[in-house]
Amino acid sequence: MTLFEGITSRSVETSRLVVNVLERAGDDAGTPPDRTVVLVHGNGSSSLFWQEVMQDLPHDLRVVAVDLRGYGGTEHAPIDATRGVRDFSDDLFETLQALGIPTAHLVGWSMGGAVILQYALDHPVLSLTLESPVSPYGFGGTRRDGSRLTDDDAGTGGGVANPDYVARLIAHDATDEAPTSPRSVFRSGYVAPGYTTAHEDVWVESMLSTSTATGNYPGDSVPSDNWPGFAAGTVGVLNTMAPQYFNLSGIVDLEPKPPILWIYGTEDAIISDTSFYDYNHLGALGIVPDWPGADVAPAQEMVSQTRDVLGEYSARGGEVTELALEGVGHTAHLERPAEFRHALLIVIGYVGHPVDPAPPTETIILRSAD
């Protein structure tokens, strides 16, 4: 894998599987938990995506980025989707135990946001940073209040994946010759128009590390009598976020409540109230034929659902900071690294080193029972 200056990689053996982690050369393994930051990537990526963040954070912190199962250098063990994202969060717990990290500040991007929410439901954490997270009600197939549209979660899960994209992952296609190549998907889905970087080859390398073995990405599907004709299966990545297996809205009852930073881009094509990865929204646009209408198959209001749940978290005594970055896509930590770093340092309560003197200039909403 392509490692940036000062970033190291090693394998960590746990009772569940062998996990790859990235660390910074010189970080002290004895750093206390309140100065330890753990970074968790999302679907279609790996820890490689965190390297710029790792380089930029103050060096008296300990920073660790973890590859989830089936991504990067971690074992490609099958995923039991009927447990939601618990296979991922249980792996994370065992990895942190092996690293001598009893608790930490957790940062989760996209699906990684779901993983750290599940982790927080099961284990103590110091803070949660949710970057463009999956809705607490999963991906697709729910109304604004989180109720399921069908009993089988039609239009969600493994059947959502584009077969040509999967084929190009298998072929390790690093070109931009088709809109379904990982490089093209990065440009159209991961970042907002106009974003450029000298590290695009590294980000594509990370995407191509996605395992397509049975039980990994994308997962299986089953026939459905409901539109669009398929429903969630029981194994693999995309099925973990089907609403019959996934509901993290119980975070509102968590005690004690760690502070939460929710940071996202207003131009996110993946996590949105009008997501281009939501079959129901694609049906409304006429891209998927025979859409039965908004009464039967409304688009999932992903961002609004997250705001509703975090609003309730606040009403019950939690502290929530919402940071909306205008003109940013799905990867705020790449597209606006200074604002991302600044907001993260604030939520972890970092006072041992001067933080950026100017606050972010975007929308900031602080919700607190106080």
Side-chain angles (χ1 to χ4, degrees), residues 7-8 22-24 39 47 50-57 59 63-65:
I7 307 298
T8 65
L22 298 189
E23 298 170 293
R24 302 188 302 186
L39 306 166
S47 60
W50 290 119
Q51 292 186 93
E52 290 181 320
V53 173
M54 297 176 74
Q55 288 179 320
D56 288 345
L57 287 173
H59 283 277
V63 185
V64 178

Side-chain angles (χ1 to χ4, degrees), residues 121 248-255 257 309-310 312-313 316:
L121 288 171
L248 300 179
S249 61
I251 196 76
V252 301
D253 297 318
L254 189 64
E255 293 295 344
K257 287 181 167 62
V309 171
L310 294 184
E312 184 62 23
Y313 184 90
R316 299 190 188 190

